[in-house]
Amino acid sequence: MDRHNPARPWAGVVVVLWQGDRFLLTLRAKAPGAGCGGRPGGGRNLGETAFAAAVREVQEETGILCAPRSSFTTVDIIERDAHGAAAFHFLLAAVVANYVSGAITPRDDAADARWVTLEELASLPNVPMTAELVAQSRAQRDKSGFRKP
């Protein structure tokens, strides 16, 4: 079944990846949100856990290895076509993760990527809910005690 004009929502993951006080912002290469900043993520494979999908998607999009720490919310991403039908519908598990290793090498769904602060995000075009998810993930990360300097 095609993910465009779906008959049902697609399960996926969105990852907020932290390195100190900066998080990884990717410039989306494909719809939905092409040309805007977002977080790495995408569809899950059959039998794949949210954490395994998080590691795979971050590595596929940026070449970076991450360590997922917790999931903190779910997000519905729904884009409608001109007739009001769902052109895309993803149900995403939001995962907060820490940087492990690697240099940013944008590929796959990412046209570009860089480390930014939440304050810098305010001046950048980004997909809906980016700032909210990053703020929620920072609170989750700090509450859980796995923040790294």
Side-chain angles (χ1 to χ4, degrees):
M1 183 170 18
D2 190 6
R3 292 181 188 190
H4 190 264
N5 297 316
R8 61 171 177 79
W10 283 88
V13 10
V14 59
V15 185
V16 183
L17 174 59
W18 290 93
Q19 183 183 46
D21 288 330
R22 302 175 304 155
F23 70 94
L24 186 63
L25 184 72
T26 58
L27 180 65
R28 293 198 45 81
K30 301 176 185 175
C36 291
R39 291 92 38 223
R44 288 170 60 182
N45 296 321
L46 183 63
E48 185 177 46
T49 67
F51 281 13
V55 171
R56 178 183 52 77
E57 285 290 341
V58 168
Q59 200 156 40
E60 284 178 0
E61 292 183 24
T62 68
I64 289 180
L65 181 61
C66 72
R69 298 299 183 192
S70 76
S71 55
F72 60 95
T73 192
T74 57
V75 179
D76 278 296
I77 303 295
I78 304 170
E79 280 196 11
R80 300 195 180 277
D81 64 18
H83 306 289
F88 293 97
H89 185 174
F90 294 96
L91 175 61
L92 306 176
V95 173
V96 61
N98 282 342
Y99 169 86
V100 172
S101 65
I104 296 173
T105 306
R107 51 188 174 188
D108 193 38
D109 290 346
D112 197 7
R114 63 179 161 152
W115 297 105
V116 299
T117 65
L118 188 54
E119 294 73 26
E120 291 170 327
L121 179 65
S123 65
L124 301 170
N126 55 79
V127 296
M129 297 189 65
T130 297
E132 296 89 344
L133 284 175
V134 172
Q136 286 177 29
S137 76
R138 181 167 58 184
Q140 176 70 24
R141 175 192 72 163
D142 294 347
K143 181 176 87 173
S144 300
F146 62 82
R147 182 176 180 211
K148 291 185 177 179

